[in-house]
Amino acid sequence: GHGRREQRGIETSTALPAHLATLGWSSVRQVFRLVRQRQQHDPATGVLTTTREHVDGITLLSREQADAAQVAACVRAHWKIENQLPDVRDVTFNEDACRIRTGHGPQQLALARNAAIAICRLNNHPNLAAARRDFAWNPRRIRPRLGLVTN
């Protein structure tokens, strides 16, 4: 999609974890190298560019628990989740513009934002930004969503 073609390949090994165990990483069961090759055509210039990326990783899953295809699926699923939430937090809550950057403040605000997103999703709000504006203008409306009694 998006005018690009991507190929992925993965290699896994159970040989390196024995060495990693001597370094204190005894729970590692497999190592892997994911290779992504992307070709993208620029419609404005007509140029086809190719990029190649190598990603090395470790997993606690043994070969019996996850073969190479399953490890690749886990990596892809992880990045799908990882990429969705920060985008929602930044777009809906303008998180990147937040000036709080020290102490526990950033983690606490991220927790509050994640909770707000979860409440909106659990209550089937189709649009998180609209739900956020609605709750900002009518804060008492959030109490029943949290299971609290409204006075």
Side-chain angles (χ1 to χ4, degrees):
H2 305 287
R4 64 179 175 250
R5 181 179 298 168
E6 186 170 298
Q7 293 179 323
R8 293 183 192 91
I10 191 166
E11 297 175 336
T12 62
S13 174
T14 57
L16 192 57
H19 173 68
L20 292 175
T22 65
L23 301 173
W25 291 46
S26 59
S27 58
V28 174
R29 298 291 176 253
Q30 293 186 76
V31 296
F32 62 88
R33 171 168 277 181
L34 182 68
V35 179
R36 297 184 195 115
Q37 182 170 313
R38 183 177 298 136
Q39 291 182 328
Q40 186 155 358
H41 183 262
D42 184 350
T45 63
V47 175
L48 180 69
T49 58
T50 302
T51 58
R52 190 174 175 98
E53 177 183 27
H54 298 264
V55 178
D56 296 321
I58 59 174
T59 181
L60 308 181
L61 301 173
S62 68
R63 182 71 51 93
E64 293 76 28
Q65 293 172 308
D67 62 12
Q70 291 166 317
V71 171
C74 287
V75 171
R76 190 161 171 83
H78 167 79
W79 282 109
K80 180 180 179 186
I81 293 167
E82 191 73 21
N83 287 334
Q84 286 176 339
L85 190 57
D87 185 52
V88 169
R89 285 196 326 230
D90 186 38
V91 171
T92 305
F93 292 97
N94 201 15
E95 186 175 54
D96 288 347
C98 181
R99 309 273 304 169
I100 297 173
R101 291 188 175 38
T102 60
H104 296 289
Q107 291 88 355
Q108 291 171 347
L109 283 174
L111 178 67
R113 290 178 185 118
N114 288 345
I117 291 167
I119 290 166
C120 291
R121 287 187 174 157
L122 287 172
N123 287 281
N124 298 317
H125 284 286
N127 183 318
L128 295 175
R132 181 177 163 251
R133 286 189 299 272
D134 181 43
F135 290 139
W137 282 102
N138 306 295
R140 290 177 190 240
R141 294 179 80 177
I142 199 166
R143 292 178 62 85
R145 306 279 197 269
L146 297 172
L148 302 172
V149 178
T150 305
N151 292 335

